[in-house]
Amino acid sequence: MLLRQLEYLVALARTRHFAKAAEECYVSQPALSGAIRKLEAEFGVPLVRRTRKYEGLTPEGERIVVWAKRILADREAMEEEVRTLRSGMTGQLRIGSVPTASTAVSLLTQAFCAENPLARVEVLADLQTVDIEARLRSYELDAAVTYRPGADGASAFTFVPLYRERFVLLTQEAADGRQRQEASWEEAGRQPLCLLHPRMFGRRTLDAVFARTGTPVRPRVETDSVASLFAHVRTGHWASVVPHAWLHVFGVPVGMRALPLVRPVHTEQIGLLVLRREPASVAAQAVVAAAGRADMAAALERVPGAAATEFIERPTAH
């Protein structure tokens, strides 16, 4: 068995097309197909369902692809560790994030790059939690900034807490000029709301809090982008519930108010998620080390704008 054969099989599983997989691997289609047939002969089972075109992997093929990804990831980790011992980390960190935490990722990559000046970073933002866990398991990501995994994923991942996500009601300034200091979830529910899409974890979190307060929520607009929430509120027709980390970048836009949501004050733990494996990849070790030295919670309290002081002095949890 050659590692190159495993690379061909993984590429075919990813592209679901012989010609595209061959192009990705810089070989001819007959060469790729022949290498996979040799792999099938070695295992003694068919790995690919074929008619006149690619029809998917067999059950055996699906399992072999899982092992192939692990073997190739271990080879890459071994090569990177040798390079790191020689000249420091020179490879790439692939980091993902959920939409609500995407603005906070820059604080982590800043610390990582300062400690690893020869390394490169690829950030994949706006991923759903289920996509993040799947990409970590398939070695397509080295780490992610996301919510704490559920019980089914706790044993597979290491979770390093970074900060606690809080929520504010983003709305227009009051027409009468009154400067409110906070808002309840019940009051937020009565606003013409634009919220994240229901399939997203951040939205499910909000729905759970609204339900606890007995507040029905029927948003007129739903989106998969936190930036889109800000844009909709700017039109003057909507209000939204957004995570406080986004104020660190945007501040409180002119003409808007960011009111801490109380009764209850709800927080969610955001952290760095890496696949639990021994030995850990060099990239995973390096970003975990950077996370331990980057005080992201304190940095996220430094919000531009006058409303920031009012916001950060509010209690953070019940």
Side-chain angles (χ1 to χ4, degrees):
M1 185 193 309
L2 301 176
L3 290 174
R4 193 64 174 162
Q5 292 171 309
L6 299 181
E7 291 174 351
Y8 293 167
L9 183 63
V10 170
L12 180 60
R14 179 170 53 250
T15 62
R16 304 182 63 82
H17 194 280
F18 278 100
K20 291 179 180 178
E23 181 180 0
E24 186 176 289
C25 295
Y26 301 102
V27 296
S28 67
Q29 183 174 333
L32 181 137
S33 183
I36 292 177
R37 286 190 183 280
K38 289 181 181 179
L39 198 59
E40 291 175 316
E42 183 168 344
F43 282 115
V45 294
L47 304 179
V48 180
R49 297 198 305 270
R50 300 178 179 87
T51 55
R52 296 182 62 183
K53 61 180 182 178
Y54 175 80
E55 296 289 344
L57 298 177
T58 64
E60 295 87 353
E62 294 283 0
R63 292 302 303 160
I64 294 300
V65 163
V66 173
W67 281 102
K69 289 180 177 178
R70 182 180 301 180
I71 291 168
L72 294 173
D74 284 343
R75 179 195 63 175
E76 183 179 347
M78 178 183 66
E79 293 174 345
E80 179 59 34
E81 186 159 346
V82 172
R83 288 194 296 268
T84 300
L85 290 172
R86 184 173 63 245
S87 57
M89 184 177 174
T90 60
Q92 183 180 64
L93 169 68
R94 301 162 301 173
I95 187 167
S97 79
V98 291
T100 54
S102 58
T103 55
V105 174
S106 61
L107 299 172
L108 183 57
T109 56
Q110 177 187 21
F112 172 84
C113 289
E115 297 176 8
N116 303 277
L118 300 179
R120 307 180 313 280
V121 180
E122 178 185 14
V123 179
L124 298 177
D126 296 340
L127 298 176
Q128 296 186 44
T129 53
V130 63
D131 295 328
I132 282 175
E133 293 189 11
R135 291 188 185 215
L136 287 170
R137 290 180 189 271
S138 62
Y139 307 99
E140 296 175 47
L141 288 176
D142 300 301
V145 179
T146 184
Y147 299 95
R148 185 183 294 275
D152 57 336
S155 62
F157 302 103
T158 297
F159 183 81
V160 181
L162 297 176
Y163 66 94
R164 296 203 69 88
E165 178 181 78
R166 305 196 304 277
F167 302 96
V168 299
L169 175 65
L170 189 66
T171 185
Q172 296 296 304
E173 289 187 339
D176 58 11
R178 290 185 302 171
Q179 297 296 311
R180 299 180 59 195
Q181 301 301 309
E182 61 187 28
S184 70
W185 289 84
E186 186 176 355
E187 291 172 313
R190 293 197 294 265
Q191 300 290 321
L193 287 175
C194 172
L195 296 178
L196 291 175
H197 194 277
R199 69 172 178 269
M200 302 175 72
F201 185 92
R203 169 63 187 281
R204 296 198 297 272
T205 296
L206 300 184
D207 286 346
V209 181
F210 279 121
R212 281 167 50 195
T213 62
T215 305
V217 177
R218 301 181 183 86
R220 294 280 304 280
V221 178
E222 295 173 328
T223 176
D224 64 354
S225 164
V226 181
S228 180
L229 298 179
F230 275 78
H232 277 82
V233 176
R234 181 177 286 279
T235 67
H237 293 90
W238 315 101
S240 187
V241 177
V242 300
H244 84 289
W246 275 71
L247 300 180
H248 171 74
V249 174
F250 285 94
V252 181
V254 175
M256 299 185 198
R257 292 284 292 166
L259 304 176
L261 281 165
V262 297
R263 299 191 297 277
V265 173
H266 181 82
T267 67
E268 287 287 335
Q269 182 70 67
I270 299 290
L272 183 69
L273 195 67
V274 296
L275 188 67
R276 189 170 291 169
R277 55 187 287 208
E278 291 296 337
S281 71
V282 171
Q285 294 180 60
V287 74
V288 168
R293 288 186 279 273
D295 191 354
M296 293 177 63
L300 290 173
E301 302 299 353
R302 296 192 288 272
V303 181
T309 302
E310 299 169 6
F311 177 66
I312 64 176
E313 291 177 352
R314 309 309 301 175
T316 59
H318 280 332

